[in-house]
Amino acid sequence: MRHCLICENESVFPFVELYDDRHSYPGLFQIMKCQSCGHKSLQAEFSPKDLTRMYTEFYPRSLFILEEYHPYKEVSGLGAWLDGTQNSAFRWVPKNVRVLDIGCGFGESLGYHKSRGCDVYGVEADVNIRRVADRFGYKVHVGLFDPKIYEPDFFDYVTLDQVIEHVTNPVEMLRDITGVMKPGGMLIIGTPNSNGWGAKVFGRHWIHWHTPYHLQLFSKKSMKLATEKAGLALEDVKTITNSYWLYLQWVHLLLRPDEGEPSVLWNPGIKRSRAQERIITMMTWMHQTRINHVISRIFDALGVGDNYLFFLRKKS
């Protein structure tokens, strides 16, 4: 038993024990659940050396080819709705605002915002972003988010797309983000929903446990508590899930490796067997029928999709 990181209640108990079923980082890891606020967190302490090893030796980065870089484009219509493309926080940022995207990857969102008249900034730990920033003139801080490099009350919008679940102390990070937002500014967070249908149906095979890389899994209640501590007001919660995630879930379920073995799905450098290729081909065909799209839209409509979107306003 220990205190909950979010609500500080002592009613925290073991929930599920998991291993790294993507990249084979060694060990078994316990996810704890707070009975008071529903927050789930990984019971593990990683030193800076451990984290460096985890992400450099076990978490493969795709080889990035600068010539293949393309900014995201605006999407609309039935196809975009079926695809679930509105699952990303950056899609909800309006035109002509000052925006900070923390964890901007290879900068596709930065180009998207720039094309819509935004004054856009990015933060990314992967040094590959430097090549994109240099080529296209993007304003990017390479490293971890540091509020001291920005003026207070500076941004209209801040986005975190699939980032906050990787953070050791999310309340501290939220406070730092609040400090660089204008009064009335908006923070939009996209993060996995471990209270949805996927976690219940697939159990320990659910892809978004992503142990040990995901450290925090929020409930609506725990997010509300965390953001209130940071001076933010929770205005809205949506569940919008990219339909491709369900394709990945089926393939992961059928090809999930034993403990200590890397997954052929998540590690493209591993040679696949004929049987594995047939499974991937079959699941690709199924995805093309749009059945995954329909399933995803139904569960999102019921509020139990795999992806939360939290809309948080800085209090004036």
Side-chain angles (χ1 to χ4, degrees):
M1 183 183 295
R2 63 190 180 101
H3 288 84
C4 174
L5 180 66
I6 305 300
C7 71
E8 302 179 9
N9 198 290
E10 292 186 352
S11 58
V12 177
F13 299 94
F15 180 72
V16 64
E17 188 175 64
L18 301 167
Y19 62 86
D20 180 6
D21 56 7
R22 294 198 193 187
H23 309 305
S24 70
Y25 189 84
L28 291 172
F29 300 90
Q30 185 73 58
I31 291 181
M32 310 293 287
K33 180 179 179 181
C34 175
Q35 302 301 310
S36 178
C37 71
H39 190 75
K40 301 181 186 78
S41 59
L42 193 73
Q43 188 178 26
E45 294 184 6
F46 298 108
S47 68
K49 183 178 180 181
D50 292 332
L51 290 171
T52 298
R53 180 170 178 258
M54 182 189 299
Y55 282 96
T56 56
E57 296 182 25
F58 292 90
Y59 200 102
R61 298 282 184 178
S62 299
L63 294 176
F64 178 65
I65 300 173
L66 185 60
E67 287 69 27
E68 295 181 357
Y69 168 82
H70 298 287
Y72 293 129
K73 303 294 184 183
E74 290 199 68
V75 293
S76 61
L78 179 61
W81 175 76
L82 274 173
D83 289 340
T85 52
Q86 294 297 107
N87 72 302
S88 296
F90 78 87
R91 295 283 185 193
W92 296 85
V93 175
K95 297 179 180 180
N96 304 313
V97 296
R98 181 176 290 151
V99 56
L100 173 66
D101 185 2
I102 300 174
C104 61
F106 291 130
E108 294 92 342
S109 63
L110 305 184
Y112 168 83
H113 290 312
K114 189 174 181 179
S115 70
R116 301 170 77 249
C118 293
D119 182 16
V120 57
Y121 296 71
V123 175
E124 177 53 52
D126 191 326
V127 296
N128 279 296
I129 187 60
R130 196 183 303 279
R131 289 187 287 147
V132 179
D134 290 346
R135 170 72 69 87
F136 297 99
Y138 297 153
K139 293 173 283 193
V140 179
H141 170 66
V142 181
L144 301 179
F145 170 65
D146 181 359
K148 294 189 294 294
I149 68 176
Y150 307 105
E151 297 178 21
D153 304 334
F154 191 64
F155 293 102
D156 300 295
Y157 279 77
V158 178
T159 57
L160 292 169
D161 264 317
Q162 311 305 315
V163 171
I164 200 166
E165 61 271 16
H166 294 267
V167 174
T168 302
N169 191 331
V171 174
E172 180 180 355
M173 183 182 195
L174 290 168
R175 284 180 179 139
D176 288 341
I177 290 172
T178 302
V180 301
M181 293 168 60
K182 294 178 181 178
M186 178 72 76
L187 168 63
I188 308 174
I189 298 174
T191 192
N193 175 17
S194 66
N195 304 294
W197 81 278
K200 290 180 172 62
V201 170
F202 297 106
R204 63 181 66 245
H205 298 267
W206 187 54
I207 60 172
H208 303 290
W209 295 124
H210 197 9
T211 305
Y213 309 93
H214 285 181
L215 306 177
Q216 316 290 339
L217 290 160
F218 284 86
S219 67
K220 292 180 182 179
K221 184 175 181 180
S222 69
M223 179 61 77
K224 187 174 188 295
L225 290 171
T227 53
E228 284 177 348
K229 290 182 177 181
L232 296 162
L234 179 59
E235 287 199 346
D236 194 13
V237 183
K238 302 179 187 294
T239 54
I240 304 178
T241 310
N242 194 302
S243 302
Y244 188 66
W245 287 13
L246 187 50
Y247 162 79
L248 294 174
Q249 177 67 73
W250 294 125
V251 177
H252 177 78
L253 182 69
L254 294 171
L255 298 181
R256 187 173 186 252
D258 294 329
E259 182 185 349
E261 297 294 326
S263 167
V264 296
L265 171 62
W266 304 103
N267 298 272
I270 300 175
K271 187 176 181 179
R272 298 165 178 164
S273 68
R274 289 185 179 179
Q276 290 169 335
E277 290 286 2
R278 283 196 292 269
I279 288 171
I280 292 173
T281 299
M282 180 177 64
M283 290 298 101
T284 300
W285 173 84
M286 186 179 83
H287 186 67
Q288 290 170 347
T289 68
R290 299 294 182 105
I291 185 63
N292 290 333
H293 300 65
V294 173
I295 294 171
S296 298
R297 300 289 68 75
I298 289 172
F299 283 114
D300 278 346
L302 294 172
V304 292
D306 271 353
N307 184 65
Y308 277 134
L309 277 174
F310 293 101
F311 297 81
L312 305 142
R313 183 81 62 184
K314 180 177 177 178
K315 299 174 184 178
S316 300

